Amino acid sequence: MAIAGAGVARPRSAMAGGLDIPDHGTQALGRGGAFVAKADDGTAIYYNPAGLARQRGTKLLANANVYLSSFSFQRAGRFPGDGADGDTPWAGSPFPKVANEGGASVAPFAALSSDFGTFDRFTAAVGIFGRPSVGNRTFPFGVDNAPSAARYDFVQSRTSYLYPTVSAAYRVAPWLDLGVSGHLVLASIGRTWMSSIDAGQCTSHEYQPCDGRANLDVSGSSFGATVGALIRADENLAFGLTFQTPASIDASGTMTVGAPEKFDGKVGQGAATVATKLPWTARAGARYVEMAGDFEVYDLELDVTYEAWNGALGDGMRLSVPAVGSLQRIDNFIVQGYRDTYGIRGGGTWNFDALGGVMSARAGAYFDSAATRFEYTRIDNDTLAKIAGTIGFGYKKGAFGFDVAYAAIASIPRLVGDGAGLVRPLNLAENGRAVDGSGVVVGAINEGAYRGFTHLLSFGVSVTFDAFFGPGRANELPLWEGGPSGSLPHEEAAPAEPSESQEGTKSDDDKKDDVKKPEEPKKNLEVPPEQPKKKDEKKDDEKKGNKPQNKKEWWEGLD
């Protein structure tokens, strides 16, 4: 394990935003994570719960992100110690490069939403998801018959954050939807690293025979909420806003320390607590939509995100272990140097008819700022700034929808120069302080070059149960009120006049039937038809200059 400055550098779980890899949802990922002003599937419980308000029917969504990360660290300098010592033959040689060996990790997402077949303006949902991240980062204990240069920082993660969630949304006005998600935050923090146990018997602060393997396994829970709004200015413009509250977590469990080769004291397992905090997060997005009647042809969206990591972990967190065998009072305030992050996401979707259904092509890109200052860079999380390009495809027919997306995520390389690092080894024999067995502050272990690249694949399937029984309420409300007339989906509306595009699909026989014949004047059976004048009579009248006489009633000439 390692410390930052004078405090203990705690193993950190993988987070989203500037801490590790965002974001959730196959549809959202394909469009660069720009989804706050769209939020029209089950991932609305995460991005913007207000997006549920116009989702009619009962729907199930299941997505999974698969991460393949190649994060690496080349430590600057050489191993300390004496190469003539048979216990440390690698002393004096350059530090070897270490890289993540954890393989693929999976982050699932599931949500079920419904209007209960009754409501026109209200939708509720339940779901569960984890923080989008590379969840099984694993670095070696040793490389090329030498100890890992980063073993005091981090070796392996077994951490997860799960969010069982209940959400509700309501269409307050034709132009405004509001929503809220309540989250139960379940934290399980598991980390493995090497700690120095130097009680004065070690020849240097990185003397491998004094290493003790440490395993931390703690868990805790908290609560949080996400509130959101969707504003629809007109048929073509929509704006989204969300705010996620911070969550404080007090986790408890155990810390187990293995016996070093050279240590006369006792080790074992002891009770441990960790106090940590997740930041508040704000998102905002603007979206332009091009419609053809009630069909969405394409849309473009631009989002910004902000995560307040400085307020959550700028001063660090606390690890407390009363006793592990003869190791006593490990209790330190952790300084990690986290800072607030911001992100920019842009992308869109093009929809078209294909294969008897609707095909969607998506593309986007995003940027996330770095989550730590240079001097606190470590390998336990990818806190580097990131830039990514994304693509995605979807197909929907009847009750089923299928989506796939890919993101190529490049972490911007970082070099922590000599004398600039502030992450130092943890000495469990000295209450977890950054000192050797003589009480002298030890050198930093995080100076060097950091690089990372992640391939992210996402797969999704959705089911609209109402479609099994006909279209009914399964159709979502249009982008604006309820269509141009303001009617709701279940209300009967007057048949619309056929459009030119519809007329173009009719056969010639149908067109002939559509031509209306002129209506013949209706006969009044009570009025006898007027007898036409003969041609000679008309001429005589014109010659005499006679003016037309008032018409007689039909009965006056009768006998």
Side-chain angles (χ1 to χ4, degrees):
M1 199 46 199
I3 70 166
V8 181
R10 270 278 304 116
R12 280 288 301 141
S13 59
M15 300 296 182
L19 289 180
D20 239 45
I21 310 296
D23 252 327
H24 270 306
T26 308
Q27 182 185 177
L29 179 67
R31 43 192 287 128
F35 208 58
V36 179
K38 182 173 172 66
D40 60 355
D41 66 11
T43 59
I45 68 175
Y46 167 77
Y47 283 100
N48 188 350
L52 294 169
R54 293 172 187 253
Q55 297 185 36
R56 301 274 62 80
T58 299
K59 301 179 180 182
L60 175 66
L61 176 75
N63 287 175
N65 286 356
V66 182
Y67 300 86
L68 293 168
S69 173
S70 61
F71 194 86
S72 66
F73 170 54
Q74 175 62 68
R75 184 175 171 185
R78 298 173 178 272
F79 283 106
D82 183 3
D85 186 339
D87 291 327
T88 59
W90 49 81
S93 62
F95 289 119
K97 181 179 179 179
V98 295
N100 178 28
E101 300 176 347
S105 64
V106 179
F109 191 108
L112 177 67
S113 64
S114 181
D115 61 6
F116 306 100
T118 301
F119 301 108
D120 299 319
R121 298 172 179 266
F122 174 82
T123 303
V126 295
I128 186 169
F129 55 89
R131 292 192 71 92
S133 63
V134 178
N136 65 337
R137 300 170 71 86
T138 302
F139 292 83
F141 282 106
V143 180
D144 297 332
N145 297 316
S148 167
R151 67 192 187 276
Y152 297 122
D153 180 1
F154 177 83
V155 173
Q156 186 183 53
S157 168
R158 298 177 302 280
T159 294
S160 66
Y161 280 84
L162 290 178
Y163 288 70
T165 298
V166 177
S167 303
Y170 186 74
R171 181 162 53 103
V172 178
W175 55 273
L176 177 63
D177 300 331
L178 298 177
V180 61
S181 291
H183 311 292
L184 173 62
V185 184
L186 301 177
S188 177
I189 302 174
R191 286 291 187 272
T192 297
W193 71 96
M194 280 293 185
S195 280
S196 174
I197 304 179
D198 182 5
Q201 82 281 15
C202 307
T203 60
S204 73
H205 69 278
E206 294 189 41
Y207 190 56
Q208 192 271 340
C210 291
D211 287 356
R213 177 171 176 167
N215 294 311
L216 178 71
D217 290 286
V218 295
S219 60
S221 62
S222 184
F223 294 93
T226 300
V227 294
L230 268 178
I231 301 168
R232 289 168 168 89
D234 58 29
E235 176 182 351
N236 301 109
L237 291 176
F239 302 93
L241 296 168
T242 63
F243 179 83
Q244 183 176 342
T245 63
S248 297
I249 299 170
D250 293 318
S252 60
T254 61
M255 179 172 168
T256 304
V257 180
E261 180 182 340
K262 296 187 176 181
F263 179 63
D264 294 333
K266 295 181 179 180
V267 293
Q269 187 177 92
T273 61
V274 171
T276 186
K277 189 175 183 180
L278 301 177
W280 62 260
T281 301
R283 301 173 186 261
R287 178 175 175 242
Y288 174 82
V289 187
E290 183 65 31
M291 305 291 296
D294 60 354
F295 183 76
E296 182 179 308
V297 180
Y298 71 87
D299 80 308
L300 297 171
E301 183 170 344
L302 181 66
D303 291 358
V304 294
T305 66
Y306 193 90
E307 298 186 9
W309 285 105
N310 181 60
L313 292 172
D315 293 332
M317 53 185 159
R318 184 174 290 277
L319 169 67
S320 298
V321 183
V324 177
S326 57
L327 307 175
Q328 302 291 313
R329 300 184 304 279
I330 303 170
D331 187 3
N332 290 276
F333 189 74
I334 305 155
V335 179
Q336 291 181 298
Y338 288 7
R339 61 185 181 186
D340 293 355
T341 65
Y342 66 89
I344 301 173
R345 287 138 171 71
T349 303
W350 173 44
N351 303 302
F352 54 95
D353 294 330
L355 304 176
V358 176
M359 189 77 73
S360 299
R362 307 178 179 109
Y366 70 76
F367 168 81
D368 275 327
S369 65
T372 53
R373 299 193 296 273
F374 270 71
E375 59 268 31
Y376 293 103
T377 309
R378 293 170 51 190
I379 67 171
D380 60 345
N381 283 299
D382 184 352
T383 62
L384 306 180
K386 305 171 192 68
I387 187 169
T390 71
I391 58 172
F393 298 93
Y395 176 72
K396 185 174 184 180
K397 182 177 181 180
F400 296 97
F402 304 93
D403 296 284
V404 62
Y406 167 75
I409 306 167
S411 299
I412 298 176
R414 172 177 280 190
L415 177 64
V416 180
D418 292 343
L422 290 178
V423 177
R424 310 177 192 277
L426 163 67
N427 186 355
L428 296 182
E430 293 288 337
N431 309 113
R433 294 182 298 153
V435 297
D436 60 15
S438 302
V440 178
V441 176
V442 298
I445 59 169
N446 68 322
E447 295 168 351
Y450 297 81
R451 296 178 180 272
F453 193 93
T454 301
H455 299 278
L456 172 54
L457 293 170
S458 187
F459 305 92
V461 61
S462 61
V463 181
T464 303
F465 293 100
D466 308 66
F468 291 117
F469 311 103
R473 300 172 58 84
N475 297 325
E476 297 180 2
L477 289 172
L479 181 65
W480 62 103
E481 168 65 15
S485 64
S487 61
L488 296 173
H490 69 285
E491 294 177 338
E492 294 185 2
E497 291 295 330
S499 63
E500 293 180 4
S501 60
Q502 291 173 325
E503 288 179 357
T505 61
K506 294 184 179 181
S507 66
D508 292 339
D509 292 337
D510 293 335
K511 290 181 178 179
K512 290 178 182 179
D513 293 338
D514 289 344
V515 177
K516 294 184 179 180
K517 297 179 179 180
E519 296 183 0
E520 296 182 358
K522 296 181 179 180
K523 295 182 179 180
N524 189 341
L525 298 180
E526 297 180 358
V527 179
E530 182 180 352
Q531 297 298 324
K533 290 185 177 183
K534 295 180 181 180
K535 292 182 179 180
D536 294 340
E537 292 177 349
K538 289 183 178 179
K539 290 179 179 179
D540 291 342
D541 289 340
E542 292 175 359
K543 289 179 180 179
K544 295 177 181 179
N546 295 338
K547 294 181 180 180
Q549 301 294 319
N550 292 333
K551 184 180 177 181
K552 294 182 179 180
E553 298 295 342
W554 64 270
W555 65 83
E556 292 181 0
L558 296 179
D559 294 334

